[in-house]
Amino acid sequence: MMNWDNARYVLAVARTGSLRAAATSLGVDQATVARRLRALERELRTALFRRSPEGYHLTDSGRRLLPDMEQMEAMAASIERKSVGMDGTLTGKVRIASTDALARYFLLAALEELQRTAPHIGVTLSTAPAVVDIRRGEADIAIRSARPTDDNVIIRRLATFRLGLYAAENYVRRRGRPKPGTAFQGHDLVMFPEEAVPQYWQALCEEPLTNGRIALETTSQWVYFEALRQGLGIGMMAREIVQKYCPELINIMPDRSGSADIWLVINPDVWSAGRVQAVIAAMTKTFSDAVNQDRLTGK
């Protein structure tokens, strides 16, 4: 009977091209990878790799078998994820993917509450710019500003933020406020790159960008917020964030506004797990409280 676990080692060598790199990726020593690889080749009675000073390269047999091994890997990962969904206890890890800003301003508060109500749940939080693939199990939960189009994941609207145009007091003193309908004539703008948010490169809160000067483009939310604080230009922000964390910023065009939905995306394999449901409940409450508080202020 073939030892299917050895396929993991074949995949690691195929992807990295060397025993050393494969061992590092698997968290084992190089001798273990070599031994597992030889064992599988003996079981299959065929060589899977050509060895050379440049590394390991798949043979014709290896290339034919690789898709089947990848399918085995995917099935094993699916079984593992589904088994998580069967666990109703409030223990274990939950992996969340979010943006830096949403993590700082909302998720940390939710996790602080979660520590009191479910102290045996641990969270791994990723704020990397790349969008994770929820369906492939790269995270259990993701928070996104754009609604996914994948029908194979569970999608819930987490909140709807109100958007406004903001600048620092020192910017307003130097440059004044833009007049509605002038397309930011004579003013500087702070923006995220067009490839990241193409929907906002025609207009901000329904005010065209035609006459404005793009003073700064940044992929970093922290740099974006700090640039507004330091008076580099005008930018669009969620009022829920400004009122609570950046109250020194001025809404420079109150009659221009917009809205942005925040979406909760969950892997259906883990949806029913007790720890996942506890995390979702904590996040939902935190976002709801923030939105409702902002509505109560009337600002």
Side-chain angles (χ1 to χ4, degrees):
M1 179 69 68
M2 173 183 170
N3 183 351
W4 295 106
D5 188 55
N6 288 335
R8 293 194 303 122
Y9 296 84
V10 173
L11 289 171
V13 174
R15 288 163 179 166
T16 63
S18 75
L19 295 181
R20 182 188 299 275
T24 300
S25 69
L26 292 170
V28 299
D29 58 70
Q30 189 172 328
T32 298
V33 178
R35 184 176 67 254
R36 292 294 197 112
L37 184 56
R38 289 194 301 270
L40 186 57
E41 288 181 324
R42 286 196 302 270
E43 290 170 348
L44 296 176
R45 298 184 179 88
T46 186
L48 300 174
F49 293 94
R50 295 191 315 274
R51 283 77 165 171
S52 75
E54 289 75 30
Y56 278 59
H57 306 278
L58 286 167
T59 62
D60 289 342
S61 295
R63 280 192 292 273
R64 286 197 297 271
L65 291 173
L66 188 66
D68 295 320
M69 293 185 184
E70 290 175 332
Q71 186 174 2
M72 289 167 49
E73 179 185 49
M75 289 299 296
S78 176
I79 291 170
E80 184 177 355
R81 292 194 300 271
K82 289 177 180 178
S83 69
V84 171
M86 299 174 186
D87 184 359
T89 63
L90 299 181
T91 60
K93 289 282 187 181
V94 177
R95 297 166 300 157
I96 304 174
S98 178
T99 67
D100 284 338
L102 292 178
R104 178 183 179 184
Y105 297 135
F106 301 99
L107 284 187
L108 293 183
L111 298 183
E112 191 272 334
E113 173 66 21
L114 188 69
Q115 281 187 336
R116 291 197 297 269
T117 59
H120 299 297
I121 296 176
V123 170
T124 299
L125 177 61
S126 171
T127 57
V131 176
V132 300
D133 190 333
I134 288 287
R135 199 63 188 95
R136 289 180 62 87
E138 294 178 0
D140 301 316
I141 301 170
I143 299 177
R144 297 178 181 169
S145 57
R147 191 185 193 282
T149 57
D150 185 358
D151 293 332
N152 295 314
V153 295
I154 296 172
I155 304 169
R156 299 286 186 271
R157 183 185 285 104
L158 191 57
T160 298
F161 287 163
R162 298 185 302 164
L163 303 176
L165 298 169
Y166 291 90
E169 183 179 355
N170 63 359
Y171 178 89
V172 176
R173 284 200 307 267
R174 295 192 325 267
R175 308 290 293 277
R177 299 178 183 234
K179 295 180 179 179
T182 62
F184 298 105
Q185 177 69 45
H187 284 274
D188 293 337
L189 300 172
V190 178
M191 302 285 292
F192 292 110
E194 185 172 8
E195 58 269 22
V197 287
Q199 68 273 28
Y200 296 132
W201 272 71
Q202 298 300 315
L204 294 176
C205 294
E206 301 183 349
E207 184 70 20
L209 308 187
T210 315
N211 299 323
R213 185 182 79 90
I214 308 300
L216 175 68
E217 292 180 47
T218 178
T219 59
S220 167
Q221 293 177 330
W222 302 136
V223 172
Y224 183 91
F225 295 161
E226 193 59 29
L228 295 184
R229 283 194 176 106
Q230 295 193 24
L232 268 69
I234 296 167
M236 185 173 67
M237 287 188 65
R239 298 184 184 188
E240 289 78 3
I241 292 177
V242 171
Q243 294 300 324
K244 189 169 184 180
Y245 297 101
C246 314
E248 70 274 18
L249 294 179
I250 298 171
N251 188 338
I252 49 86
M253 205 181 291
D255 58 347
R256 291 287 188 267
S257 63
S259 64
D261 290 326
I262 305 299
W263 300 95
L264 187 65
V265 188
I266 309 104
N267 187 322
D269 292 341
V270 302
W271 163 257
S272 60
R275 60 181 177 270
V276 172
Q277 285 296 314
V279 171
I280 291 172
M283 291 193 300
T284 300
K285 181 179 185 302
T286 297
F287 274 86
S288 176
D289 288 349
V291 171
N292 290 336
Q293 181 61 38
D294 180 73
R295 300 296 188 269
L296 289 173
T297 65
K299 297 180 181 179

